[in-house]
Amino acid sequence: MKILVTGGAGYIGSHTCVELLKDNYDVVVLDNFSNSCQEALNRIQRLANKKLSFYKADLLESPSVRQVFKDHKIDAVIHFAGLKAVGESTCIPLKYYHNNLTGTFNLLSIMGEFNVKTLVFSSSATVYGDPSTLPITETFPLSATNPYGRTKLMIEEILQDLHTSDKDWNIALLRYFNPVGAHESGELGEDPQGLPNNLMPYISQVAVGRLPRLSVFGADYDTPDGTGVRDYIHVTDLALGHIRTLPKLAEKPGVVIYNLGTGNGFSVLEMINGFEKASGQKIAYQVTDRRPGDIAACFADASKAKRELNWEAGKSLDDMCKDTWNWQKKNPIGYRTQPKEE
Ligand code: NAD
Ligand code: UD1
């Protein structure tokens, strides 16, 4: 079976490609390297000891996307490609709407042209807005509070409309909670450009000495220790969730929606402690004001994915912290420690 992975050189895409290759799928990656690089693809192939096909192409440019479908008989698409920084999306919303929405429109139209109608879409727990109770099930009301989140919500709705119009489409909307960690080899991981927006990469850059200290955004939330609580999920578990979704789509279920989380919430202070224990490094931090737009707590009810996909997250907080630290230590400045593009 041949899978097109858009955004396959990125953080979650690269881990998913390794698992796909290990599972004997043929993999074609399309990525414009706007937030990734060739080195990630080199490492995927080394880790899996297999080759993938690669197109350096932009989803905004239909002819190059069409070329991929001309060259390969694609069976299904896993669509990771998109811009993902919440803060940035509020400053340059049009770029986010254009890249994420137009990119997806182009992809869907071309898939339709070639009669490829099986899609796994990277959605996010951000579509639940500020949930009124916890844990969050897939039937909770949806809302968005920023342009990035709105692109996810809009694409979910567009995909539902597409299936309504043509029942041949089979689509999985996977709502990720907070992906963290890295490949256990330390060869693949998250490589944010500039200052990290998310907690784990920030902590690990403090640990490795790239940043002086972490700001803990608020310690006055209505949570056990006052700091924000999230459902952190190891990126390899998340990758495996995609692999388990493909056979489900082969059953032609229409549109299916799954939370991919662990079901456990950890606070910022618990993450700091977990990381200190796993790495043996002290994480300097100071409590600052809340980050605007943040919610107190968010964690999944992940039982639907367990029931229907036979998938559940197997890795612990300690695994997430150890693997993040291993990646950070081996690659203190990310993939840029390696030779530039081939
Ligand atoms: P990432 O930035 O590491 O990967 C995205 C990849 O898509 C990058 O390699 C980038 O170069 C590529 N890309 C972006 N726009 C493109 C375009 N127009 N054409 C071709 N390639 C393009 O991000 P990630 O963390 O791996 O996230 C993957 C997906 O999962 C995204 O859609 C993101 O919104 C979603 N998601 C991520 C998180 C998270 O915390 N990482 C949480 C929920 C959902
Ligand atoms: C962020 C995004 C969300 C996205 C999710 C997963 C925002 C507002 N939301 O959510 O849309 O789906 O990532 O990628 O960016 N924290 C600190 N100090 C830091 C960074 C974070 O204390 O330097 C705290 C936050 O307040 C939060 C927790 O750590 O309580 C996790 O933050 P983060 O990793 O940014 O993820 P989310 O806020 O869940």
Side-chain angles (χ1 to χ4, degrees):
M1 204 174 166
K2 197 174 268 194
I3 312 294
L4 171 63
V5 183
T6 74
Y11 173 46
I12 306 170
S14 57
H15 290 81
T16 304
C17 286
V18 171
E19 300 305 326
L20 285 167
L21 290 170
K22 274 170 49 185
D23 234 16
N24 290 321
Y25 286 95
D26 289 325
V27 174
V28 181
V29 167
L30 179 155
D31 201 301
N32 65 0
F33 290 156
S34 58
N35 196 33
S36 55
C37 61
Q38 174 67 43
E39 180 58 18
L41 297 175
N42 300 345
R43 294 185 185 193
I44 293 167
Q45 296 177 97
R46 272 211 303 276
L47 286 170
N49 199 19
K50 286 197 185 127
K51 293 272 174 223
L52 50 73
S53 304
F54 174 62
Y55 290 77
K56 184 166 189 287
D58 196 311
L59 284 178
L60 297 177
E61 289 161 17
S62 292
S64 20
V65 181
R66 193 171 286 111
Q67 192 58 46
V68 179
F69 286 83
K70 282 183 183 159
D71 293 349
H72 298 271
K73 201 193 157 309
I74 301 292
D75 294 294
V77 177
I78 305 183
H79 178 32
F80 292 108
L83 298 174
K84 63 162 183 176
V86 172
E88 187 183 63
S89 81
T90 61
C91 301
I92 44 170
L94 294 184
K95 184 164 180 192
Y96 271 69
Y97 287 121
H98 186 46
N99 190 75
N100 294 2
L101 295 177
T102 313
T104 302
F105 295 149
N106 289 345
L107 175 69
L108 295 173
S109 312
I110 294 164
M111 286 176 69
E113 277 173 38
F114 287 84
N115 205 29
V116 179
K117 296 187 176 176
T118 302
L119 178 80
V120 180
F121 173 62
S122 297
S123 189
S124 165
T126 196
V127 300
Y128 295 116
D130 191 354
S132 51
T133 58
L134 292 166
I136 300 170
T137 69
E138 288 83 353
T139 54
F140 269 35
L142 305 180
S143 66
T145 52
N146 55 69
Y148 164 73
R150 254 185 289 284
T151 68
K152 292 295 171 194
L153 203 48
M154 286 175 183
I155 293 170
E156 284 204 2
E157 287 169 349
I158 290 162
L159 291 171
Q160 301 266 12
D161 288 342
L162 187 61
H163 174 259
T164 304
S165 74
D166 176 355
K167 299 285 186 264
D168 287 345
W169 281 89
N170 289 290
I171 295 167
L173 310 177
L174 301 184
R175 295 178 180 154
Y176 313 153
F177 280 67
N178 289 57
V180 295
H183 193 268
E184 60 180 4
S185 63
E187 291 292 304
L188 299 176
E190 191 168 9
D191 184 18
Q193 305 302 303
L195 207 59
N197 298 305
N198 298 116
L199 180 65
M200 262 307 233
Y202 209 109
I203 290 180
S204 62
Q205 291 195 14
V206 171
V208 84
R210 267 173 81 175
L211 294 168
R213 82 185 60 75
L214 172 77
S215 295
V216 173
F217 296 144
D220 57 351
Y221 284 107
D222 184 15
T223 58
D225 65 20
T227 65
V229 167
R230 297 291 185 273
D231 185 339
Y232 297 93
I233 176 171
H234 195 292
V235 65
T236 300
D237 279 330
L238 194 59
L240 291 171
H242 294 73
I243 312 283
R244 290 290 170 82
T245 302
L246 292 170
K248 179 74 191 174
L249 289 179
E251 295 169 15
K252 307 202 177 308
V255 178
V256 284
I257 305 177
Y258 297 107
N259 285 341
L260 297 186
T262 64
N264 302 314
F266 288 104
S267 73
V268 176
L269 295 181
E270 285 173 320
M271 295 305 285
I272 295 173
N273 288 336
F275 197 90
E276 286 183 338
K277 219 181 281 164
S279 67
Q281 304 295 305
K282 195 90 197 119
I283 306 300
Y285 72 86
Q286 64 187 11
V287 174
T288 62
D289 288 345
R290 292 180 179 195
R291 179 171 63 180
D294 268 359
I295 57 176
C298 168
F299 54 91
D301 177 333
S303 60
K304 188 177 176 206
K306 183 172 183 193
R307 223 169 34 246
E308 296 189 12
L309 302 178
N310 193 25
W311 170 89
E312 67 183 318
K315 292 193 182 268
S316 64
L317 178 63
D318 194 47
D319 296 326
M320 300 180 209
C321 294
K322 275 202 177 108
D323 290 341
T324 303
W325 179 230
N326 189 29
W327 152 257
Q328 187 69 72
K329 249 186 336 193
K330 277 186 143 177
N331 307 273
I333 53 167
Y335 290 114
R336 282 158 296 166
T337 40
Q338 297 301 313
K340 283 223 123 187
E341 289 182 22
E342 286 180 347

